């Protein structure tokens, strides 16, 4: 009889990078909750803002994402061991003593640490994302008990065609040029030439990471997880949990408030959102499926093929959730879509800038601080940065995802749901919206019941 997913982790130790990130926190919590017989979880942490790694860990474990663990199993903290280090440093900045511990103890490595800034300088992203992964791989090659290295990539690492398969594509430039580019620190103009048709420096760097793992993994078994746009949890550890404004969340909040009213995009385009708990569940399960040492397996975690969501449908669900919560500060929240850059400027002036100027004038006349134009300036930068996802549409093959989920026992399917086909958008988007209100705006949402 095959082992359950939880049994695969029993008595074994794990090393996780990126634990302080949104996905990393959910990954740590889910392993501790559903694979409670795990021996030890080593997490890479760096001191920040004058805090030690122990202080950072303590602060992180007090967040709502760990509430059910704190409530049901207070001793879970004994299984977490922080390791001082940084993926941007040589040797990950790990002490010789800690390196020996990891080499002798670790069976599974989850590498989710990365810079996710779309407009970050190319040399920074190459150092953190590409060289950082190479440093993790070098450590993995020394580990005596290692079964697999799981790397969290992005579905948008390969957008050269409308349909993306679950395989590693060639690097856009020779891997041998990475060190030189980090040292050279190319300016914006040269960066545009280097990345060519890639969406941005972030997706460019992630494509290179995948190629690096395929070329240099040696005897290390590698699994690449490609999530689409990672959004609030569907059900675990708590419905709607989110801790950042990244991706579409900032836009959703601004649309709901009635501030953002014009977006460049096509309503028929697919918005490939995926709940963070689905990504985490796939990551945990995929690691337990034995693969050949020479192999690099790829699993997409995306909804465009099995459960497509159009931009127009998303906007309608946002509008419904905003009205239910009486969330809008300005009347008649809604979004006008245009594919024209010229109309974007024209409509923005009429539908956004002018009304918000009047709203700010009213605030000023009533003795309050004007805020709407300032908010609009910041959110327009976000809108423009992710415009590539609203004016384009891709479909991602999820056949490996489908086969993996189908291979699970009914019990494991229930404990670790990750099949995109299970998602109901009319149920999930309200959960996402309410989670944004609760965990980012710190207010109580109105029940959708």
């Amino acid at each position: 009889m095959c082992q359950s997913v939880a049994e695969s982790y029993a008595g074994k130790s794990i090393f996780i990078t990126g634990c302080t990130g949104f996905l990393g926190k959910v990954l740590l919590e889910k392993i501790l909750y559903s694979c409670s017989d795990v021996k030890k979880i080593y997490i890479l942490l760096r001191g920040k803002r004058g805090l030690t790694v122990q202080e950072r860990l303590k602060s992180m474990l007090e967040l709502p994402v760990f509430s059910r663990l704190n409530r049901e199993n207070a001793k879970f903290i004994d299984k977490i061991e922080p390791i001082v280090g940084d993926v941007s440093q040589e040797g990950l900045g790990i002490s010789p003593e800690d390196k020996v511990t990891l080499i002798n103890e670790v069976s599974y490595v989850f590498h989710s640490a990365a810079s996710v800034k779309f407009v970050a300088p190319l040399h920074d992203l190459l150092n953190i994302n590409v060289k950082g992964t190479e440093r993790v791989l070098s450590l993995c090659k020394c580990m005596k008990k290692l079964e697999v290295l799981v790397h969290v990539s992005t579905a948008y690492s390969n957008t050269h065609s409308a349909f993306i398969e679950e395989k590693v594509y060639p690097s856009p430039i020779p891997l041998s040029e990475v060190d030189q580019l980090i040292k050279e620190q190319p300016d914006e103009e040269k960066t545009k030439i280097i990345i060519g048709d890639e969406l941005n420096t972030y997706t460019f760097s992630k494509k290179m990471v995948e190629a690096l793992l395929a070329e240099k993994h040696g005897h290390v078994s590698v699994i690449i997880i490609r999530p689409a746009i990672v959004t609030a949890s569907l059900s675990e550890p708590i419905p709607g949990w989110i801790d950042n404004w990244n991706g579409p969340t900032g836009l959703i909040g601004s649309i709901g408030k009635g501030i953002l009213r014009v977006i460049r995009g096509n309503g028929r385009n697919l918005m490939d959102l995926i709940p963070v708990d689905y990504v985490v569940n796939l990551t945990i399960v995929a690691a337990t499926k034995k693969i050949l040492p020479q192999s690099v397996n790829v699993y997409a975690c995306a909804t465009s093929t099995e459960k497509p969501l159009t931009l127009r449908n998303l906007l309608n669900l946002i509008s419904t959730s905003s009205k239910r919560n009486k969330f809008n500060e300005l009347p008649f929240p809604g979004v006008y879509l245009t594919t024209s850059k010229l109309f974007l400027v024209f409509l923005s002036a009429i539908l956004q800038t002018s009304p918000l100027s009047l709203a700010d004038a009213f605030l000023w006349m009533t003795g309050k601080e004007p805020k709407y134009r300032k908010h609009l300036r910041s959110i327009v930068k976000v809108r423009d940065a992710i415009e590539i996802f609203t004016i384009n549409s891709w479909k991602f093959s999820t056949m490996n995802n489908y086969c993996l989920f189908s291979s699970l026992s009914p019990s494991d399917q229930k404990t670790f749901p990750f099949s995109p086909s299970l998602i109901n958008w009319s149920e999930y988007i309200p959960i996402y919206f309410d989670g944004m209100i609760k965990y980012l705006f710190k207010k109580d949402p109105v029940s959708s019941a």
Side-chain angles (χ1 to χ4, degrees), residues 124-143:
D124 284 345
L125 287 169
L126 290 178
N127 182 45
I128 296 170
N129 295 352
V130 182
K131 294 297 289 187
T133 301
E134 188 171 25
R135 293 167 189 132
V136 171
L137 179 60
S138 295
L139 177 61
C140 288
K141 288 179 178 179
C142 301
M143 291 178 173

Side-chain angles (χ1 to χ4, degrees), residues 15-301:
F15 178 49
I16 304 177
T17 72
C19 246
T20 57
F22 174 49
L23 188 146
K25 294 187 189 86
V26 181
L27 175 62
L28 175 63
E29 195 277 344
K30 179 61 174 178
I31 294 173
L32 287 165
Y33 187 81
S34 295
C35 307
S36 55
D37 288 332
V38 66
K39 181 180 177 183
K40 205 81 173 177
I41 301 181
Y42 301 95
I43 63 174
L44 191 70
L45 281 177
R46 52 192 171 93
K48 194 174 183 182
R49 301 190 188 95
L51 297 176
T52 65
V53 292
Q54 291 289 353
E55 289 170 333
R56 284 194 76 191
L57 177 60
K58 182 177 182 297
S59 176
M60 183 177 78
L61 296 179
E62 291 172 353
L63 294 172
V65 64
F66 295 100
S67 58
R68 67 175 178 177
L69 273 174
N70 283 308
R71 184 172 62 250
E72 298 177 31
N73 181 17
K75 291 185 178 180
F76 76 91
I77 193 171
D78 297 336
K79 296 198 174 186
I80 305 174
E81 187 70 38
I83 300 288
V84 178
D86 188 335
V87 295
S88 67
Q89 297 179 13
E90 288 305 315
L92 301 175
I94 295 174
S95 72
E97 296 79 13
D98 285 338
K99 184 176 180 180
V100 169
T101 299
L102 295 175
I103 288 173
N104 290 329
E105 296 296 328
V106 170
S107 297
Y108 296 95
V109 173
F110 295 102
H111 176 45
S112 66
S115 171
V116 296
K117 296 177 181 176
F118 288 170
V119 292
L122 178 61
H123 61 273
D124 284 345
L125 287 169
L126 290 178
N127 182 45
I128 296 170
N129 295 352
V130 182
K131 294 297 289 187
T133 301
E134 188 171 25
R135 293 167 189 132
V136 171
L137 179 60
S138 295
L139 177 61
C140 288
K141 288 179 178 179
C142 301
M143 291 178 173
K144 297 176 181 178
K145 298 180 180 179
L146 184 69
E147 296 186 26
V148 68
L149 161 62
V150 183
H151 169 69
V152 180
S153 184
T154 172
Y156 298 97
S157 57
N158 303 281
T159 53
H160 52 279
S161 65
F163 183 76
I164 312 301
E165 297 179 68
E166 290 169 291
K167 67 179 185 180
V168 177
Y169 291 88
S171 173
I173 62 171
L175 294 169
S176 57
E177 295 182 14
V178 171
D179 289 333
Q180 180 58 34
L181 288 173
I182 293 172
K183 182 179 179 182
E184 183 184 327
Q185 299 189 8
D187 59 21
E188 190 173 336
E189 286 303 313
K190 185 167 184 181
T191 294
K192 288 180 181 178
I193 296 172
I194 294 168
I195 70 172
D197 295 332
E198 300 297 329
L199 299 187
N200 49 52
T201 50
Y202 166 71
T203 58
F204 176 85
S205 71
K206 296 298 265 186
K207 186 170 188 173
M208 291 200 67
V209 170
E210 293 188 5
L212 179 143
L213 288 170
E215 183 178 315
K216 297 187 176 184
H217 70 93
H219 68 276
V220 176
S221 298
V222 173
I223 290 172
I224 294 173
I225 305 294
R226 285 191 192 145
I229 302 170
V230 184
T231 47
S233 60
L234 173 59
S235 57
E236 290 186 288
I238 39 180
W241 187 75
I242 191 164
D243 71 346
N244 65 83
W245 291 104
N246 296 340
T249 308
L251 295 188
I252 289 172
S254 299
I255 292 167
K257 288 285 186 184
I259 296 172
L260 185 66
R261 294 173 181 267
V262 186
I263 291 177
R264 187 164 170 247
N266 187 318
R268 294 186 299 274
N269 285 350
L270 301 178
M271 293 302 295
D272 209 314
L273 311 185
I274 190 76
V276 65
D277 42 338
Y278 273 47
V279 183
V280 161
N281 289 336
L282 171 60
T283 302
I284 293 170
V285 172
T288 67
K289 300 304 172 181
K290 303 295 183 278
I291 64 173
L292 295 172
Q294 294 79 20
S295 300
V296 175
N297 285 10
V298 179
Y299 294 93
C301 199

Side-chain angles (χ1 to χ4, degrees), residues 254-263 312 315-316 318-319 322-323 328 330-337 351-352:
S254 299
I255 292 167
K257 288 285 186 184
I259 296 172
L260 185 66
R261 294 173 181 267
V262 186
I263 291 177
R312 175 53 64 195
L315 293 173
N316 289 339
I318 291 169
S319 177
S322 177
K323 291 172 183 175
N328 56 298
L330 300 173
F332 313 115
V335 173
Y336 190 93
L337 292 171
L351 301 177
Q352 287 179 172

